[in-house]
Amino acid sequence: MERRKFIITSGEFISATMLTTFIQSSPLITLTSCASNIAQKERDAYSEFDKPILKVLAIGLNSPSAHNTQPWKFKIINETEAEIYIDETRLLLETDPPTRQIHISGGCFLETVVIGSTIINYETSVTLFPKGNYTFSEIGHKPYAGIKLTPLEKGNIHPLASYIFNRHTSRLVYEADLISDATKDKLIKESATAYSRLIIQNNQQEIKPFLDLFKEAMKIESFNLPTNEESRRMFRFSSSEIEMKRDGITFEGQGIDGAAKFFAKLVAKNNEESWNKKSNVEAGLARFNKGVDSSKGLVYWITESNTVKDWINVGRDITRFLLALTQNDLSAHPLNQGIQEYKEMDEIRQKLERLMKTTNEQKIQMIVRIGKSEKPFVSYRRHLNDLIKA
């Protein structure tokens, strides 16, 4: 999609570089009390804010996003209303030229707010594109959504709400058996897909043809300098950088600790030469491939068209599924490299589309592998007050 043709009409997570796969387990903080446990240095506690709209926005910040960009900013209208914008400074134009994945991230935020607002006894209504259409150059200047809170009868908490705070992405090797048919059916029911077609593959014969394509796609992204450099720009190498920027990809966020972290920092420096060194890329790919080969199920979201409204809405479907996964003590790892829209990925993307038998109008919007794993370290989120527009 050319930028000048990028038009949003109201009618209408996530690539990673080689070293995000230097992984060993690290415990995630288990949240038994949403307000108290989330009050860590990594994330703002929603209980610290006095206005309902600020509370729900703080809850929304726990949602996933491509490269952990957290590409959101907010305009507060009053104590119960806000406009939500894509942050135009956080686009991933090498791996996500049409900003599809960024807008999916926007949908993830919206659904996290919708579900999470029930924790504080509010219902959230969503209006997409409240200020009308916008062009590519207007991203960040017009909202992609408006939200309004209304009081909800106490006790009507969404069944997935309590899982917002310990949902996580795991790039670890998955253990145990393939996802059973019973678990597959349970996930489909609990996630209540509304805007897309959900496909879950849970037997080896279904999965096998796709695995080599996922590994080849990651190889292309990792050896393609512009896309690999984009990931380096989102990688946070030191503790001070992590605490200052509060976003992006980190060793700790991938569960890398102790000797593994020491080794990773030893071989990977924050410069183009080290990051793109062939031996470093190959080592990371070997670990990525090991994770892919351990997949216990593959999940796809397909839409009948490929509009920006589709992107946002499929993000809402994805969020419910990820929370349903968490409810069932399962993890997910996005494998989206092969469906990205830059020219080096065209051949792999077309092969995946043929395997999934999609038409020209249909679009595979997201792919994840699922299974059971150790829980990675909780990742940082930017401070809510830093995301509010004047």
Side-chain angles (χ1 to χ4, degrees), residues 137-149:
S137 64
E138 292 175 308
I139 292 176
H141 303 286
K142 288 185 177 181
Y144 73 88
I147 59 172
K148 183 176 181 179
L149 307 179

Side-chain angles (χ1 to χ4, degrees), residues 80 85 90 100 166 176 213 280 300:
T80 58
Y85 297 72
R90 292 178 169 267
R100 180 179 59 81
N166 59 349
L213 285 179
N280 287 346
Y300 309 80

Side-chain angles (χ1 to χ4, degrees), residues 265-320:
K265 289 189 174 184
L266 184 66
V267 299
K269 304 298 182 183
N270 190 10
N271 60 66
E272 181 178 318
E273 180 181 5
S274 175
W275 188 255
N276 296 282
K277 187 177 180 181
K278 183 178 180 181
S279 60
N280 287 346
V281 173
E282 289 177 342
L285 286 172
R287 288 162 177 80
F288 174 84
N289 293 346
K290 188 175 181 181
V292 169
D293 286 335
S294 76
S295 301
K296 306 306 179 185
L298 296 175
V299 185
Y300 309 80
W301 288 264
I302 299 174
T303 55
E304 294 302 309
S305 54
N306 191 32
T307 67
V308 181
K309 185 177 181 181
D310 290 324
W311 302 344
I312 294 169
N313 281 334
V314 80
R316 300 185 66 175
D317 281 344
I318 290 164
T319 296
R320 289 193 302 277

Side-chain angles (χ1 to χ4, degrees), residues 324-380:
L325 271 184
T326 306
Q327 181 174 235
N328 288 276
D329 196 28
L330 294 169
S331 302
H333 171 200
L335 299 173
N336 290 324
Q337 290 79 17
I339 55 173
Q340 293 174 151
E341 299 93 339
Y342 56 94
K343 63 182 178 61
E344 291 83 359
M345 201 60 72
D346 286 350
E347 183 177 352
I348 296 293
R349 188 178 64 255
Q350 291 161 9
K351 287 181 179 179
L352 281 169
E353 290 168 349
R354 287 195 293 270
L355 275 176
M356 293 304 297
K357 300 179 180 178
T358 56
T359 67
N360 290 335
E361 293 76 23
Q362 295 172 333
K363 174 65 179 178
I364 306 169
Q365 298 289 355
M366 175 76 83
I367 307 170
V368 301
R369 68 179 176 102
I370 60 175
K372 189 179 290 289
S373 81
E374 298 286 341
K375 293 181 172 63
F377 178 75
V378 65
S379 58
Y380 276 66

